[in-house]
Amino acid sequence: MLDLSGPRIMGVLNVTPDSFSDGGRFDRPYAALTHARSMVEAGADIIDVGGESTRPGAAPVDEEGELARVIPAIEAIAKEFDLPISIDTSKPRVMREAVAAGASLVNDVNALRAPGAVETVAGMGVPVCLMHMQGEPRTMQQSPHYDDVVGEVKDFLLARARTCVEAGIRPEAILFDPGFGFGKTLQHNLALLRSLPSLCETGYPVVAGISRKSMIGMLTGRDVEQRLAGSLAAAVLALEGGARILRVHDVAETRDAVRVWEAVRLTGGPLESP
Ligand code: 9MG
């Protein structure tokens, strides 16, 4: 199980040629390890390895192609570091092989809806992050619609959690993620960020992935490489809303922001008198 006694930072490692935020620079195992190393040194608690881009409009990748990208990277990271590695995938076979290679958490933007995915995770006994997505990555941003985005996202995740628990996944092994940017307009994303406490009330630890996303671009008018300040503001707002894991690209800067937040909000922090 993950230690979630304080906020945790999940560093994003996209091992894809078309990744939206790193331009595919980390598509070889050596480069992936180098990037993982820099994130660990900067204070990452978890490394999230993904081999299929989920950016809007991204083309799907087949199983063999995804495995060829992620497995060498996971093996190399697991050999050098003793920290949780999560596998960002929706494919049961990739989940299985990634866990055999050293991953210890499944991060599924499809919330284990692929045939066999729930059973696969139940059988492996690893924790899973269930993320909400309306539609599929290729088309999800075309016309997202909700009557009540916060209620619908929460109901969806609770229903997925019920299915998981019925299949044998322990409730303590389940994390929720509202899926910022996945079939959502800017207003949907803002409503979800504002209402994060309502998702946290479910009792499932909440993961927030807002780093560098288009919602930050829309609010600031900045390109993807210039969204750090906006991403940090969103990260702190997510912590205020109760998020326990922040999925980010800029680990060192997020670590600083988390330290400041902890000092003010957590009892026993450096601002407490002895
Ligand atoms: C893979 N991936 C891309 N964005 C994400 C997000 O917001 N949350 C999670 N859990 N995974 C994501």
Side-chain angles (χ1 to χ4, degrees), residues 176-199:
F176 276 2
D177 187 326
F180 291 103
F182 283 80
K184 283 139 192 133
T185 63
L186 175 59
Q187 294 311 322
H188 295 143
N189 289 317
L190 293 175
L192 285 165
L193 186 50
R194 257 180 231 119
S195 302
L196 221 47
S198 149
L199 195 54

Side-chain angles (χ1 to χ4, degrees), residues 167-239:
I169 299 176
R170 284 164 300 157
E172 318 84 77
I174 296 174
L175 306 165
F176 276 2
D177 187 326
F180 291 103
F182 283 80
K184 283 139 192 133
T185 63
L186 175 59
Q187 294 311 322
H188 295 143
N189 289 317
L190 293 175
L192 285 165
L193 186 50
R194 257 180 231 119
S195 302
L196 221 47
S198 149
L199 195 54
C200 296
E201 274 168 13
T202 61
Y204 291 102
V206 168
V207 179
I210 313 177
S211 169
R212 298 188 188 176
K213 284 201 174 154
S214 64
M215 65 181 278
I216 305 295
M218 286 177 200
L219 292 169
T220 60
R222 305 225 178 248
D223 288 340
V224 73
E225 294 297 340
Q226 289 159 356
R227 295 179 187 165
L228 175 60
S231 299
L232 292 175
V236 172
L237 286 163
L239 291 176

Side-chain angles (χ1 to χ4, degrees), residues 118-256:
V118 171
E119 295 74 14
T120 296
V121 170
M124 296 190 299
V126 295
V128 60
C129 175
L130 303 173
M131 200 198 77
H132 176 273
M133 167 168 57
Q134 186 181 81
E136 49 159 298
R138 209 170 42 80
T139 52
M140 65 189 176
Q141 287 309 102
Q142 282 171 10
S143 51
H145 173 81
Y146 302 83
D147 293 323
D148 164 16
V149 65
V150 175
E152 288 172 43
V153 166
K154 189 171 168 178
D155 288 349
F156 168 86
L157 291 171
L158 284 169
R160 293 307 300 154
R162 269 194 301 276
T163 301
C164 288
V165 171
E166 278 162 21
I169 299 176
R170 284 164 300 157
E172 318 84 77
I174 296 174
L175 306 165
F176 276 2
D177 187 326
F180 291 103
F182 283 80
K184 283 139 192 133
T185 63
L186 175 59
Q187 294 311 322
H188 295 143
N189 289 317
L190 293 175
L192 285 165
L193 186 50
R194 257 180 231 119
S195 302
L196 221 47
S198 149
L199 195 54
C200 296
E201 274 168 13
T202 61
Y204 291 102
V206 168
V207 179
I210 313 177
S211 169
R212 298 188 188 176
K213 284 201 174 154
S214 64
M215 65 181 278
I216 305 295
M218 286 177 200
L219 292 169
T220 60
R222 305 225 178 248
D223 288 340
V224 73
E225 294 297 340
Q226 289 159 356
R227 295 179 187 165
L228 175 60
S231 299
L232 292 175
V236 172
L237 286 163
L239 291 176
E240 287 285 284
R244 306 283 283 280
I245 299 180
L246 302 172
R247 184 180 182 275
V248 304
H249 300 84
D250 302 290
V251 172
E253 294 85 349
T254 308
R255 174 54 68 202
D256 286 356

Side-chain angles (χ1 to χ4, degrees), residues 27-44:
D27 58 347
R28 290 158 293 139
Y30 175 75
L33 179 61
T34 304
H35 185 54
R37 219 176 257 150
S38 72
M39 290 198 286
V40 174
E41 280 161 15

